[in-house]
Coordinates of all heavy atoms in Angstrom, one line a residue:
M1 N 19.5 2.0 -15.3 CA 20.6 1.0 -15.6 C 21.0 0.3 -14.3 O 21.4 -0.9 -14.3 CB 21.8 1.8 -16.3 CG 22.8 0.9 -16.8 SD 22.1 0.0 -18.2 CE 23.6 -0.4 -19.1
K2 N 21.0 1.0 -13.2 CA 21.4 0.5 -11.9 C 20.5 -0.7 -11.5 O 20.9 -1.7 -11.0 CB 21.4 1.5 -10.9 CG 21.9 1.1 -9.5 CD 22.0 2.2 -8.5 CE 22.4 1.8 -7.2 NZ 22.4 2.8 -6.2
G3 N 19.2 -0.5 -11.8 CA 18.2 -1.5 -11.4 C 18.4 -2.8 -12.3 O 18.2 -3.9 -11.8
Q4 N 18.8 -2.6 -13.5 CA 19.0 -3.8 -14.4 C 20.2 -4.6 -13.9 O 20.2 -5.8 -13.9 CB 19.2 -3.3 -15.8 CG 18.0 -2.7 -16.5 CD 18.3 -2.2 -17.8 OE1 19.4 -1.9 -18.2 NE2 17.2 -1.9 -18.6
W5 N 21.3 -3.9 -13.5 CA 22.4 -4.6 -13.0 C 22.1 -5.4 -11.7 O 22.6 -6.5 -11.4 CB 23.6 -3.7 -12.8 CG 24.3 -3.4 -14.1 CD1 24.3 -2.2 -14.7 CD2 25.1 -4.2 -14.9 NE1 25.0 -2.2 -15.9 CE2 25.5 -3.5 -16.0 CE3 25.4 -5.6 -14.8 CZ2 26.2 -4.1 -17.0 CZ3 26.2 -6.1 -15.8 CH2 26.6 -5.4 -16.9
G6 N 21.3 -4.7 -10.9 CA 20.9 -5.4 -9.6 C 20.0 -6.6 -9.9 O 20.2 -7.7 -9.2
L7 N 19.2 -6.6 -10.9 CA 18.3 -7.7 -11.3 C 19.2 -8.8 -11.8 O 19.0 -10.0 -11.5 CB 17.3 -7.3 -12.3 CG 16.4 -8.4 -12.8 CD1 15.5 -8.9 -11.6 CD2 15.5 -7.9 -13.9
I8 N 20.2 -8.5 -12.7 CA 21.1 -9.5 -13.3 C 21.9 -10.2 -12.2 O 22.0 -11.4 -12.1 CB 21.9 -8.9 -14.4 CG1 21.1 -8.5 -15.6 CG2 23.1 -9.8 -14.8 CD1 21.8 -7.7 -16.6
T9 N 22.4 -9.4 -11.3 CA 23.2 -9.9 -10.2 C 22.4 -10.8 -9.3 O 22.9 -11.9 -8.9 CB 23.8 -8.8 -9.3 OG1 24.6 -7.9 -10.2 CG2 24.7 -9.3 -8.2
G10 N 21.2 -10.4 -9.0 CA 20.3 -11.2 -8.2 C 20.0 -12.5 -8.8 O 19.9 -13.6 -8.2
L11 N 19.7 -12.5 -10.1 CA 19.4 -13.8 -10.9 C 20.6 -14.7 -10.9 O 20.4 -15.9 -10.7 CB 19.0 -13.5 -12.3 CG 17.6 -12.8 -12.4 CD1 17.3 -12.5 -13.9 CD2 16.5 -13.8 -11.9
I12 N 21.8 -14.2 -11.0 CA 23.0 -15.0 -11.0 C 23.2 -15.6 -9.6 O 23.5 -16.8 -9.5 CB 24.2 -14.2 -11.4 CG1 24.2 -13.8 -12.9 CG2 25.5 -14.9 -11.1 CD1 25.2 -12.9 -13.4
F13 N 22.9 -14.8 -8.6 CA 23.0 -15.3 -7.2 C 22.0 -16.4 -6.9 O 22.4 -17.4 -6.3 CB 22.8 -14.1 -6.2 CG 23.0 -14.5 -4.8 CD1 24.3 -14.8 -4.3 CD2 22.0 -14.5 -3.9 CE1 24.5 -15.1 -3.0 CE2 22.2 -14.8 -2.6 CZ 23.4 -15.1 -2.1
V14 N 20.8 -16.2 -7.4 CA 19.8 -17.3 -7.2 C 20.1 -18.5 -7.9 O 19.9 -19.6 -7.4 CB 18.4 -16.7 -7.7 CG1 17.4 -17.8 -7.8 CG2 17.9 -15.7 -6.7
L15 N 20.7 -18.4 -9.1 CA 21.1 -19.6 -9.9 C 22.2 -20.3 -9.2 O 22.2 -21.6 -9.1 CB 21.5 -19.1 -11.3 CG 21.9 -20.2 -12.3 CD1 20.7 -21.1 -12.6 CD2 22.5 -19.6 -13.6
I16 N 23.2 -19.6 -8.7 CA 24.3 -20.3 -8.0 C 23.7 -21.0 -6.7 O 24.1 -22.2 -6.4 CB 25.4 -19.3 -7.6 CG1 26.1 -18.8 -8.8 CG2 26.3 -19.9 -6.6 CD1 27.0 -17.6 -8.6
I17 N 22.8 -20.4 -6.0 CA 22.3 -21.0 -4.8 C 21.5 -22.3 -5.2 O 21.5 -23.3 -4.5 CB 21.4 -20.0 -4.0 CG1 22.3 -19.0 -3.4 CG2 20.6 -20.8 -2.9 CD1 21.5 -17.9 -2.7
A18 N 20.7 -22.2 -6.3 CA 19.9 -23.3 -6.7 C 20.7 -24.5 -7.1 O 20.5 -25.6 -6.7 CB 19.0 -22.9 -7.9
I19 N 21.8 -24.2 -7.8 CA 22.7 -25.3 -8.2 C 23.4 -25.9 -7.0 O 23.5 -27.1 -6.9 CB 23.8 -24.8 -9.2 CG1 23.1 -24.4 -10.6 CG2 24.9 -25.8 -9.4 CD1 24.0 -23.7 -11.5
F20 N 23.8 -25.1 -6.1 CA 24.5 -25.6 -4.9 C 23.5 -26.4 -4.1 O 23.9 -27.4 -3.5 CB 25.0 -24.4 -4.0 CG 25.6 -24.7 -2.8 CD1 26.9 -25.3 -2.8 CD2 25.0 -24.5 -1.6 CE1 27.5 -25.6 -1.6 CE2 25.6 -24.9 -0.4 CZ 26.9 -25.4 -0.4
A21 N 22.2 -26.0 -4.0 CA 21.2 -26.7 -3.2 C 20.9 -28.0 -3.8 O 20.7 -29.0 -3.1 CB 20.0 -25.9 -3.0
V22 N 20.8 -28.1 -5.1 CA 20.4 -29.3 -5.8 C 21.5 -30.4 -5.7 O 21.3 -31.6 -5.6 CB 20.0 -29.0 -7.3 CG1 19.9 -30.3 -8.1 CG2 18.7 -28.2 -7.4
I23 N 22.8 -29.9 -5.7 CA 23.9 -30.8 -5.6 C 23.9 -31.5 -4.2 O 24.2 -32.7 -4.1 CB 25.2 -30.1 -5.8 CG1 25.3 -29.7 -7.3 CG2 26.4 -30.9 -5.4 CD1 26.5 -28.8 -7.6
N24 N 23.5 -30.8 -3.2 CA 23.5 -31.3 -1.8 C 22.1 -31.8 -1.4 O 21.3 -31.0 -0.7 CB 23.9 -30.1 -0.9 CG 25.4 -29.7 -1.1 OD1 26.3 -30.5 -0.9 ND2 25.6 -28.5 -1.6
V25 N 21.8 -33.0 -1.7 CA 20.5 -33.5 -1.4 C 20.5 -34.6 -0.3 O 19.5 -35.2 0.0 CB 19.8 -34.2 -2.7 CG1 19.5 -33.1 -3.7 CG2 20.7 -35.3 -3.3
D26 N 21.6 -34.8 0.3 CA 21.8 -35.8 1.4 C 21.0 -35.3 2.6 O 20.9 -34.2 2.9 CB 23.2 -36.0 1.8 CG 24.1 -36.5 0.6 OD1 23.5 -37.2 -0.2 OD2 25.3 -36.1 0.6
P27 N 20.4 -36.3 3.3 CA 19.7 -35.9 4.6 C 20.7 -35.6 5.7 O 21.7 -36.2 5.8 CB 18.9 -37.2 4.9 CG 19.6 -38.3 4.2 CD 20.3 -37.7 3.0
V28 N 20.3 -34.6 6.4 CA 21.1 -34.1 7.6 C 20.2 -34.1 8.8 O 19.0 -33.9 8.7 CB 21.8 -32.8 7.3 CG1 22.8 -32.8 6.2 CG2 20.7 -31.7 7.1
E29 N 20.9 -34.3 10.0 CA 20.1 -34.2 11.2 C 20.1 -32.8 11.7 O 21.1 -32.1 11.8 CB 20.8 -35.1 12.2 CG 20.0 -35.3 13.5 CD 20.7 -36.3 14.4 OE1 20.9 -37.5 14.0 OE2 21.1 -35.9 15.6
V30 N 18.9 -32.3 12.1 CA 18.7 -31.0 12.6 C 18.2 -31.1 14.0 O 17.3 -31.8 14.3 CB 17.7 -30.2 11.7 CG1 17.4 -28.8 12.3 CG2 18.1 -30.1 10.3
N31 N 19.0 -30.4 14.9 CA 18.7 -30.5 16.3 C 17.9 -29.2 16.7 O 18.3 -28.1 16.5 CB 19.9 -30.5 17.2 CG 20.7 -31.8 17.0 OD1 20.0 -32.9 17.0 ND2 22.0 -31.8 16.8
Y32 N 16.7 -29.4 17.3 CA 15.9 -28.3 17.8 C 16.0 -28.3 19.3 O 16.6 -29.1 19.9 CB 14.4 -28.6 17.4 CG 14.1 -28.8 16.0 CD1 13.8 -30.1 15.5 CD2 14.2 -27.8 15.1 CE1 13.5 -30.3 14.2 CE2 13.9 -28.0 13.7 CZ 13.6 -29.2 13.3 OH 13.3 -29.5 12.0
L33 N 15.4 -27.3 19.9 CA 15.5 -27.2 21.4 C 14.7 -28.3 22.0 O 15.0 -28.8 23.1 CB 14.9 -25.9 21.8 CG 15.7 -24.6 21.5 CD1 14.9 -23.4 21.9 CD2 17.0 -24.7 22.3
F34 N 13.6 -28.8 21.3 CA 12.7 -29.8 21.8 C 12.9 -31.2 21.2 O 12.1 -32.1 21.5 CB 11.3 -29.3 21.7 CG 10.9 -28.8 20.4 CD1 10.5 -29.7 19.4 CD2 11.0 -27.5 20.1 CE1 10.2 -29.2 18.1 CE2 10.7 -27.0 18.8 CZ 10.3 -27.9 17.8
G35 N 13.8 -31.3 20.3 CA 14.0 -32.6 19.6 C 14.9 -32.5 18.4 O 15.6 -31.6 18.2
Q36 N 14.9 -33.6 17.6 CA 15.7 -33.6 16.4 C 15.0 -34.3 15.3 O 14.1 -35.1 15.5 CB 17.1 -34.3 16.7 CG 17.0 -35.7 17.1 CD 18.3 -36.2 17.5 OE1 19.2 -35.5 17.8 NE2 18.5 -37.6 17.5
N37 N 15.4 -34.0 14.1 CA 14.8 -34.6 12.9 C 15.7 -34.6 11.7 O 16.7 -33.8 11.7 CB 13.5 -33.8 12.6 CG 12.5 -34.5 11.7 OD1 12.8 -35.7 11.3 ND2 11.4 -33.9 11.4
E38 N 15.5 -35.4 10.7 CA 16.3 -35.4 9.5 C 15.6 -34.7 8.4 O 14.4 -34.9 8.2 CB 16.7 -36.9 9.1 CG 17.7 -37.5 10.0 CD 18.3 -38.7 9.3 OE1 18.0 -39.0 8.2 OE2 19.0 -39.4 10.1
W39 N 16.3 -33.8 7.8 CA 15.8 -33.0 6.6 C 16.8 -33.1 5.5 O 18.0 -33.2 5.7 CB 15.6 -31.6 7.0 CG 14.5 -31.3 8.0 CD1 14.6 -31.5 9.3 CD2 13.3 -30.8 7.7 NE1 13.4 -31.1 9.9 CE2 12.6 -30.6 8.9 CE3 12.7 -30.4 6.5 CZ2 11.3 -30.1 8.9 CZ3 11.4 -29.9 6.5 CH2 10.7 -29.8 7.7
P40 N 16.3 -33.1 4.2 CA 17.2 -33.0 3.1 C 18.0 -31.6 3.2 O 17.4 -30.6 3.5 CB 16.3 -33.0 1.9 CG 15.0 -33.5 2.3 CD 14.9 -33.2 3.8
L41 N 19.3 -31.7 2.9 CA 20.1 -30.5 3.0 C 19.6 -29.4 2.0 O 19.8 -28.2 2.3 CB 21.6 -30.9 2.7 CG 22.6 -29.8 2.8 CD1 22.6 -29.3 4.3 CD2 24.0 -30.4 2.5
V42 N 19.0 -29.8 0.9 CA 18.5 -28.8 -0.1 C 17.5 -27.9 0.6 O 17.5 -26.7 0.4 CB 18.0 -29.5 -1.3 CG1 16.8 -30.3 -1.0 CG2 17.6 -28.4 -2.4
L43 N 16.6 -28.5 1.5 CA 15.6 -27.7 2.2 C 16.2 -26.8 3.2 O 15.8 -25.6 3.4 CB 14.6 -28.6 2.8 CG 13.7 -29.4 1.8 CD1 12.7 -30.2 2.6 CD2 12.9 -28.4 0.9
I44 N 17.3 -27.3 3.9 CA 18.0 -26.4 4.9 C 18.6 -25.2 4.2 O 18.5 -24.1 4.7 CB 19.0 -27.3 5.6 CG1 18.4 -28.5 6.3 CG2 19.8 -26.4 6.6 CD1 17.4 -28.2 7.3
I45 N 19.3 -25.5 3.1 CA 20.0 -24.4 2.3 C 18.9 -23.4 1.8 O 19.1 -22.2 2.1 CB 20.8 -24.9 1.2 CG1 22.0 -25.8 1.7 CG2 21.3 -23.8 0.3 CD1 22.7 -26.5 0.6
L46 N 17.9 -23.8 1.2 CA 16.9 -22.9 0.6 C 16.2 -22.2 1.7 O 15.9 -21.0 1.6 CB 15.9 -23.7 -0.3 CG 16.5 -24.2 -1.6 CD1 15.4 -25.0 -2.3 CD2 17.1 -23.1 -2.4
G47 N 15.9 -22.9 2.8 CA 15.2 -22.2 4.0 C 16.1 -21.1 4.6 O 15.6 -20.1 5.0
S48 N 17.4 -21.4 4.7 CA 18.3 -20.4 5.3 C 18.4 -19.2 4.4 O 18.4 -18.1 4.9 CB 19.7 -21.1 5.4 OG 19.6 -22.1 6.3
V49 N 18.5 -19.4 3.1 CA 18.6 -18.3 2.1 C 17.3 -17.5 2.2 O 17.3 -16.2 2.2 CB 18.8 -18.8 0.7 CG1 18.7 -17.7 -0.3 CG2 20.2 -19.4 0.6
L50 N 16.1 -18.1 2.3 CA 14.9 -17.4 2.3 C 14.8 -16.6 3.6 O 14.3 -15.4 3.6 CB 13.7 -18.4 2.3 CG 12.3 -17.9 2.3 CD1 12.0 -17.0 1.1 CD2 11.3 -19.0 2.4
M51 N 15.1 -17.2 4.7 CA 15.1 -16.5 6.0 C 16.0 -15.3 6.0 O 15.7 -14.2 6.5 CB 15.4 -17.4 7.2 CG 14.3 -18.4 7.5 SD 12.7 -17.6 7.9 CE 13.1 -16.9 9.4
G52 N 17.2 -15.5 5.4 CA 18.2 -14.4 5.3 C 17.6 -13.2 4.5 O 17.7 -12.0 4.8
G53 N 17.0 -13.6 3.4 CA 16.4 -12.6 2.5 C 15.3 -11.8 3.1 O 15.2 -10.6 3.0
L54 N 14.4 -12.6 3.9 CA 13.3 -11.9 4.6 C 13.8 -11.0 5.7 O 13.3 -9.9 5.8 CB 12.4 -13.0 5.2 CG 11.6 -13.7 4.2 CD1 10.8 -14.9 4.9 CD2 10.6 -12.8 3.5
I55 N 14.9 -11.4 6.4 CA 15.4 -10.5 7.4 C 16.0 -9.2 6.8 O 15.7 -8.1 7.3 CB 16.4 -11.3 8.3 CG1 15.7 -12.3 9.1 CG2 17.2 -10.3 9.2 CD1 16.6 -13.3 9.8
V56 N 16.8 -9.4 5.8 CA 17.5 -8.2 5.2 C 16.4 -7.3 4.5 O 16.5 -6.1 4.7 CB 18.5 -8.7 4.1 CG1 19.0 -7.5 3.2 CG2 19.7 -9.4 4.8
G57 N 15.4 -7.9 3.9 CA 14.3 -7.1 3.3 C 13.5 -6.3 4.3 O 13.2 -5.2 4.1
S58 N 13.2 -7.0 5.4 CA 12.4 -6.3 6.5 C 13.2 -5.2 7.1 O 12.7 -4.1 7.4 CB 11.9 -7.3 7.5 OG 13.0 -7.9 8.2
V59 N 14.5 -5.4 7.3 CA 15.4 -4.3 7.9 C 15.4 -3.1 6.9 O 15.3 -2.0 7.3 CB 16.8 -4.8 8.2 CG1 17.7 -3.7 8.5 CG2 16.7 -5.8 9.4
G60 N 15.5 -3.4 5.6 CA 15.6 -2.4 4.6 C 14.3 -1.6 4.6 O 14.2 -0.4 4.4
M61 N 13.1 -2.3 4.7 CA 11.8 -1.7 4.7 C 11.7 -0.8 5.9 O 11.1 0.3 5.8 CB 10.7 -2.7 4.6 CG 10.6 -3.4 3.3 SD 9.4 -4.7 3.2 CE 8.0 -4.1 3.9
V62 N 12.1 -1.2 7.0 CA 12.0 -0.4 8.2 C 12.9 0.9 8.1 O 12.4 2.0 8.4 CB 12.5 -1.1 9.5 CG1 12.7 -0.2 10.7 CG2 11.5 -2.2 9.8
K63 N 14.1 0.8 7.5 CA 14.9 1.9 7.3 C 14.3 2.9 6.3 O 14.3 4.1 6.5 CB 16.3 1.5 6.8 CG 17.3 2.6 6.6 CD 18.7 2.1 6.3 CE 19.6 3.3 6.3 NZ 21.0 2.8 6.1
I64 N 13.7 2.4 5.2 CA 13.0 3.2 4.2 C 11.9 4.0 4.9 O 11.7 5.2 4.6 CB 12.6 2.4 3.0 CG1 13.8 2.0 2.2 CG2 11.6 3.2 2.1 CD1 13.5 1.0 1.1
H65 N 11.1 3.3 5.7 CA 10.0 3.9 6.4 C 10.4 5.0 7.3 O 9.8 6.1 7.3 CB 9.2 2.9 7.2 CG 8.0 3.4 7.9 ND1 6.9 3.9 7.3 CD2 7.8 3.6 9.2 CE1 6.0 4.3 8.2 NE2 6.6 4.2 9.4
R66 N 11.5 4.8 8.0 CA 12.0 5.8 8.9 C 12.5 7.1 8.1 O 12.3 8.2 8.5 CB 13.1 5.3 9.8 CG 12.7 4.4 10.9 CD 13.8 3.9 11.7 NE 13.3 3.0 12.8 CZ 14.1 2.3 13.5 NH1 15.4 2.3 13.3 NH2 13.6 1.5 14.4
L67 N 13.2 6.8 7.0 CA 13.7 7.9 6.2 C 12.5 8.7 5.6 O 12.6 9.9 5.5 CB 14.6 7.4 5.1 CG 16.0 6.9 5.5 CD1 16.7 6.2 4.4 CD2 16.8 8.0 6.1
Q68 N 11.4 8.0 5.1 CA 10.3 8.7 4.6 C 9.6 9.6 5.7 O 9.2 10.7 5.4 CB 9.3 7.7 4.0 CG 9.7 7.1 2.7 CD 8.8 6.0 2.3 OE1 7.9 5.5 3.0 NE2 8.9 5.7 1.0
Q69 N 9.5 9.1 6.9 CA 9.0 9.9 8.0 C 9.9 11.1 8.3 O 9.3 12.2 8.5 CB 8.9 9.0 9.3 CG 7.8 7.9 9.1 CD 6.4 8.4 8.9 OE1 6.0 9.4 9.4 NE2 5.7 7.7 8.1
E70 N 11.2 10.9 8.2 CA 12.1 12.1 8.4 C 11.9 13.1 7.3 O 11.9 14.3 7.6 CB 13.5 11.6 8.5 CG 14.5 12.6 8.9 CD 15.9 12.1 9.0 OE1 16.1 10.9 9.0 OE2 16.9 12.9 9.1
I71 N 11.8 12.7 6.1 CA 11.6 13.6 5.0 C 10.3 14.4 5.2 O 10.3 15.6 5.0 CB 11.5 12.8 3.6 CG1 12.9 12.3 3.3 CG2 11.0 13.7 2.5 CD1 13.0 11.4 2.1
K72 N 9.2 13.7 5.6 CA 7.9 14.4 5.8 C 8.1 15.5 6.9 O 7.6 16.6 6.8 CB 6.8 13.4 6.2 CG 6.3 12.6 5.1 CD 5.2 11.7 5.6 CE 4.7 10.8 4.5 NZ 3.7 9.8 5.0
Q73 N 8.8 15.1 8.0 CA 9.0 16.0 9.1 C 9.8 17.2 8.7 O 9.5 18.3 9.0 CB 9.7 15.2 10.2 CG 9.9 16.1 11.5 CD 10.6 15.3 12.6 OE1 11.2 14.2 12.3 NE2 10.6 15.8 13.8
L74 N 10.9 17.0 7.9 CA 11.8 18.1 7.5 C 11.0 19.0 6.5 O 11.2 20.2 6.6 CB 13.0 17.5 6.8 CG 14.0 16.9 7.7 CD1 15.1 16.2 7.0 CD2 14.6 17.9 8.7
K75 N 10.2 18.4 5.6 CA 9.4 19.3 4.7 C 8.4 20.1 5.5 O 8.2 21.3 5.2 CB 8.6 18.4 3.7 CG 9.5 17.9 2.6 CD 8.7 17.1 1.6 CE 9.5 16.6 0.4 NZ 8.8 15.9 -0.6
S76 N 7.8 19.5 6.5 CA 6.9 20.3 7.4 C 7.6 21.4 8.1 O 7.1 22.6 8.1 CB 6.2 19.3 8.4 OG 5.5 20.1 9.3
H77 N 8.7 21.2 8.6 CA 9.5 22.2 9.3 C 10.0 23.3 8.3 O 10.0 24.5 8.7 CB 10.7 21.6 10.1 CG 10.3 20.9 11.3 ND1 9.6 21.4 12.3 CD2 10.6 19.6 11.7 CE1 9.5 20.5 13.3 NE2 10.0 19.4 12.9
S78 N 10.3 22.9 7.1 CA 10.8 23.8 6.1 C 9.6 24.7 5.7 O 9.8 25.9 5.6 CB 11.3 23.1 4.9 OG 11.6 23.9 3.9
G79 N 8.4 24.2 5.5 CA 7.3 25.0 5.2 C 6.9 25.9 6.3 O 6.5 27.1 6.0
D80 N 7.0 25.5 7.5 CA 6.7 26.4 8.6 C 7.7 27.5 8.7 O 7.3 28.7 8.9 CB 6.7 25.6 10.0 CG 5.6 24.6 10.1 OD1 4.6 24.7 9.3 OD2 5.7 23.7 11.0
A81 N 8.9 27.3 8.5 CA 10.0 28.3 8.5 C 9.8 29.3 7.4 O 9.9 30.5 7.6 CB 11.3 27.7 8.4
K82 N 9.4 28.8 6.2 CA 9.2 29.7 5.1 C 8.0 30.7 5.3 O 8.0 31.9 5.0 CB 8.9 29.0 3.8 CG 10.2 28.3 3.2 CD 9.9 27.6 1.9 CE 11.1 26.9 1.4 NZ 10.9 26.2 0.2
R83 N 6.9 30.1 5.9 CA 5.7 30.9 6.2 C 6.1 32.0 7.3 O 5.6 33.1 7.2 CB 4.6 30.0 6.6 CG 3.9 29.3 5.5 CD 2.6 28.7 5.9 NE 2.8 27.5 6.8 CZ 3.0 26.3 6.4 NH1 3.1 26.1 5.1 NH2 3.2 25.3 7.2
K84 N 6.9 31.6 8.3 CA 7.3 32.5 9.3 C 8.1 33.6 8.8 O 7.9 34.8 9.1 CB 8.0 31.7 10.4 CG 8.4 32.5 11.6 CD 9.1 31.7 12.6 CE 9.6 32.5 13.8 NZ 10.3 31.8 14.8
D85 N 9.1 33.3 7.9 CA 9.9 34.3 7.2 C 9.1 35.3 6.4 O 9.4 36.5 6.4 CB 11.0 33.7 6.4 CG 12.1 33.0 7.2 OD1 12.2 33.3 8.4 OD2 12.8 32.2 6.6
K86 N 8.1 34.8 5.7 CA 7.2 35.7 4.9 C 6.4 36.6 5.8 O 6.3 37.8 5.5 CB 6.3 34.9 4.0 CG 6.9 34.3 2.8 CD 5.9 33.6 2.0 CE 6.5 33.0 0.7 NZ 5.6 32.3 -0.1
K87 N 5.9 36.1 6.9 CA 5.2 37.0 7.8 C 6.1 38.1 8.4 O 5.7 39.2 8.6 CB 4.5 36.2 8.9 CG 3.3 35.4 8.5 CD 2.7 34.6 9.6 CE 1.5 33.8 9.1 NZ 0.9 33.0 10.2
E88 N 7.3 37.7 8.8 CA 8.2 38.7 9.4 C 8.7 39.7 8.5 O 8.9 40.9 8.8 CB 9.4 37.9 10.0 CG 9.0 37.1 11.3 CD 10.2 36.3 11.8 OE1 11.3 36.4 11.2 OE2 10.0 35.7 12.9
S89 N 8.9 39.3 7.2 CA 9.4 40.3 6.2 C 8.3 41.1 5.6 O 8.6 42.1 4.9 CB 10.2 39.5 5.1 OG 9.3 38.7 4.4
G90 N 7.1 40.7 5.8 CA 5.9 41.5 5.3 C 5.7 41.3 3.8 O 4.9 42.0 3.2
K91 N 6.3 40.3 3.2 CA 6.1 40.0 1.8 C 4.7 39.3 1.7 O 4.3 38.5 2.6 CB 7.1 39.0 1.3 CG 8.5 39.7 1.2 CD 9.5 38.8 0.6 CE 10.9 39.4 0.5 NZ 11.9 38.5 0.0
P92 N 4.0 39.5 0.6 CA 2.7 38.8 0.4 C 2.9 37.3 0.1 O 4.0 36.9 -0.3 CB 2.1 39.5 -0.8 CG 3.3 40.1 -1.6 CD 4.4 40.4 -0.5
D93 N 1.9 36.6 0.2 CA 1.9 35.1 0.0 C 1.8 34.8 -1.5 O 1.7 33.7 -1.9 CB 0.8 34.4 0.7 CG 1.1 34.4 2.2 OD1 2.3 34.5 2.6 OD2 0.2 34.2 3.0
D94 N 1.7 35.9 -2.4 CA 1.5 35.7 -3.8 C 2.8 35.1 -4.4 O 3.9 35.7 -4.3 CB 1.2 37.0 -4.5 CG 0.9 36.9 -6.0 OD1 0.6 35.8 -6.4 OD2 1.0 38.0 -6.6
P95 N 2.8 33.9 -5.0 CA 4.0 33.3 -5.5 C 4.6 34.1 -6.7 O 5.8 34.0 -7.0 CB 3.5 31.9 -6.0 CG 2.1 32.0 -6.1 CD 1.6 33.1 -5.2
S96 N 3.8 35.0 -7.4 CA 4.4 35.7 -8.5 C 5.3 36.9 -8.0 O 6.1 37.4 -8.8 CB 3.3 36.3 -9.4 OG 2.5 37.2 -8.7
G97 N 5.1 37.2 -6.7 CA 5.9 38.3 -6.2 C 5.4 39.7 -6.4 O 6.0 40.7 -6.1
Q98 N 4.2 39.8 -7.1 CA 3.6 41.1 -7.4 C 2.6 41.5 -6.3 O 1.8 40.6 -5.9 CB 3.0 41.0 -8.8 CG 3.9 40.8 -9.9 CD 3.2 40.6 -11.2 OE1 2.0 40.7 -11.3 NE2 4.0 40.4 -12.3
H99 N 2.6 42.7 -6.0 CA 1.6 43.2 -5.0 C 0.3 43.5 -5.7 O 0.3 44.1 -6.8 CB 2.1 44.4 -4.3 CG 3.3 44.2 -3.4 ND1 3.2 43.6 -2.2 CD2 4.6 44.4 -3.6 CE1 4.4 43.5 -1.7 NE2 5.3 43.9 -2.5
K100 N -0.8 43.2 -5.2 CA -2.1 43.5 -5.7 C -2.7 44.6 -4.9 O -2.7 44.6 -3.7 CB -3.0 42.2 -5.7 CG -2.5 41.1 -6.6 CD -3.5 40.0 -6.6 CE -3.0 38.8 -7.5 NZ -3.8 37.7 -7.5
K101 N -3.3 45.6 -5.6 CA -3.9 46.7 -5.0 C -5.4 46.4 -4.9 O -6.0 46.0 -5.9 CB -3.7 48.0 -5.7 CG -2.3 48.5 -5.6 CD -2.1 49.8 -6.3 CE -0.7 50.2 -6.2 NZ -0.5 51.5 -6.9
H102 N -6.0 46.7 -3.8 CA -7.4 46.5 -3.6 C -8.1 47.9 -3.8 O -7.7 48.9 -3.2 CB -7.8 46.0 -2.2 CG -7.3 44.6 -2.0 ND1 -7.9 43.5 -2.6 CD2 -6.3 44.1 -1.3 CE1 -7.2 42.4 -2.2 NE2 -6.2 42.8 -1.5
V103 N -9.0 48.0 -4.7 CA -9.7 49.3 -5.0 C -11.0 49.4 -4.3 O -11.7 48.6 -4.0 CB -9.9 49.5 -6.5 CG1 -10.4 50.8 -6.8 CG2 -8.6 49.2 -7.2

């Protein structure tokens, strides 16, 4: 349900931006470091939104990647600690907890 609300909110946000951009079609002067040029305001608005979305998305992807790496590391340390505890306590590695006798 959370994903559906996020999708609906995103669609509403995109619709508002599209309406705002289409209303503002006048040419504006854009100054670069090496010159200037005139662009329609609709392209400036849509380009700014696209760049903002790409920046936020890439930062989110980096954070997710770091968290996944941390989860792998913690699982590895947890598994090592469990194996160490089993060796120290003398318990067998049998997950059923039953000792098997060798005849």
Side-chain angles (χ1 to χ4, degrees):
M1 192 68 157
K2 184 178 178 182
Q4 291 174 346
W5 282 110
L7 181 64
I8 291 170
T9 304
L11 288 174
I12 290 171
F13 186 68
V14 166
L15 183 64
I16 290 171
I17 290 172
I19 291 171
F20 180 73
V22 170
I23 291 172
N24 294 295
V25 293
D26 298 330
V28 293
E29 188 174 301
V30 179
N31 294 316
Y32 305 107
L33 292 174
F34 50 85
Q36 60 187 20
N37 201 355
E38 284 195 9
W39 288 79
L41 186 56
V42 64
L43 292 179
I44 303 298
I45 293 170
L46 292 177
S48 298
V49 169
L50 180 65
M51 289 301 291
L54 288 174
I55 291 170
V56 169
S58 62
V59 168
M61 287 174 48
V62 168
K63 185 172 184 175
I64 288 172
H65 179 71
R66 286 183 182 167
L67 289 173
Q68 287 175 343
Q69 293 298 322
E70 185 177 348
I71 288 170
K72 285 181 185 178
Q73 184 181 15
L74 290 173
K75 282 183 179 180
S76 173
H77 288 302
S78 175
D80 291 344
K82 285 180 183 179
R83 283 191 290 276
K84 184 178 177 183
D85 287 343
K86 282 184 180 182
K87 285 181 181 179
E88 288 176 359
S89 65
K91 292 183 181 177
D93 290 338
D94 185 17
S96 66
Q98 298 175 357
H99 295 280
K100 295 182 181 179
K101 292 184 180 180
H102 296 284
V103 185

